[in-house]
Amino acid sequence: MPDDQDDQQVTDDQKPDPTTASSEEDSGDVTDTSEQTTGDQSASQACQSDEQNSLESAGTSGQTSEEQGTSELSESDKRSLQDLMADPTDTQTETPTPAKTKAGDCSGLESDPRGFAKAVADNYISTEFNRMPANVAKNGISCWPSKAGGTVSDFCYLRYEDGWSVIVSLVNVPDYAQARAIKPEMKQRCTYDYDCTASGTLSFTRRRCDN
């Protein structure tokens, strides 16, 4: 009988302590939960970072082409573009056509060559070719004085995102403005009278178009 009691005591000693086992299991659970929480936080932070980058990218792509800058053309390119707008019937001896009296005040728009040229080019594309003008390409507007040493930009070249490129001459402002597309292929040159409403909206009237 004493031997049986000793065997029973040894068996009981080999059994794990319920209190200790429960504590170890709880500790393991806590570790797993902590690791999972850290992983969730990292994933959440990465997600938030991706969303922020997407918003920043969307904000950048939402900028208008005019806000993104202008392109610089070489002097030879400028001269070539101006030559494409030259009227072979014009002569130096002709008396300049007097500017027509306008109902509205266009001076504010005329003082912004880039904005004014874009309005002329957009009107040219929409009315002559029944096309909705695309956005101007990034760095897609270049304006310069038509005469050496000039201080006022009266020639502009605009490149659109759909591949169209238009030359605009403001040389004869405030009398008239001219536009001509050279891409995707050479188009006719058109001359427009223009006026402004009391609210400052430009309106154009075709004077003529020629090749």
Side-chain angles (χ1 to χ4, degrees), residues 19-186:
T19 303
T20 304
S22 176
S23 176
E24 291 175 352
E25 290 175 0
D26 290 345
S27 176
D29 290 341
V30 170
T31 302
D32 293 342
T33 303
S34 176
E35 293 175 352
Q36 184 177 2
T37 302
T38 302
D40 291 344
Q41 289 176 346
S42 299
S44 177
Q45 291 174 354
C47 182
Q48 290 175 355
S49 177
D50 291 342
E51 290 177 355
Q52 181 65 26
N53 291 336
S54 298
L55 289 173
E56 291 176 354
S57 176
T60 302
S61 62
Q63 292 178 351
T64 63
S65 299
E66 291 73 14
E67 293 172 341
Q68 295 175 355
T70 61
S71 61
E72 291 298 329
L73 299 176
S74 67
E75 290 302 318
S76 61
D77 287 340
K78 293 175 182 178
R79 300 285 85 78
S80 297
L81 290 171
Q82 288 180 219
D83 289 344
L84 291 175
M85 293 297 284
D87 187 345
T89 64
D90 289 343
T91 64
Q92 297 297 325
T93 59
E94 286 187 13
T95 303
T97 304
K100 297 179 180 179
T101 302
K102 301 184 185 302
D105 181 9
C106 298
S107 59
L109 295 170
E110 292 166 348
S111 64
D112 175 18
R114 293 176 65 213
F116 190 64
K118 183 177 183 302
V120 175
D122 284 354
N123 173 76
Y124 170 79
I125 292 172
S126 62
T127 58
E128 306 306 332
F129 307 102
N130 195 30
R131 291 178 60 89
M132 177 67 71
N135 290 328
V136 175
K138 182 178 180 179
N139 300 328
I141 299 181
S142 183
C143 295
W144 65 92
S146 59
K147 296 180 180 180
T151 58
V152 178
S153 294
D154 50 17
F155 248 92
C156 291
Y157 180 56
L158 299 89
R159 294 183 298 104
Y160 290 82
E161 290 181 345
D162 60 357
W164 279 64
S165 293
V166 178
I167 314 165
V168 174
S169 171
L170 306 177
V171 174
N172 299 102
V173 166
D175 186 9
Y176 59 84
Q178 294 177 304
R180 183 174 200 169
I182 61 172
K183 291 182 180 180
E185 60 186 19
M186 188 76 73

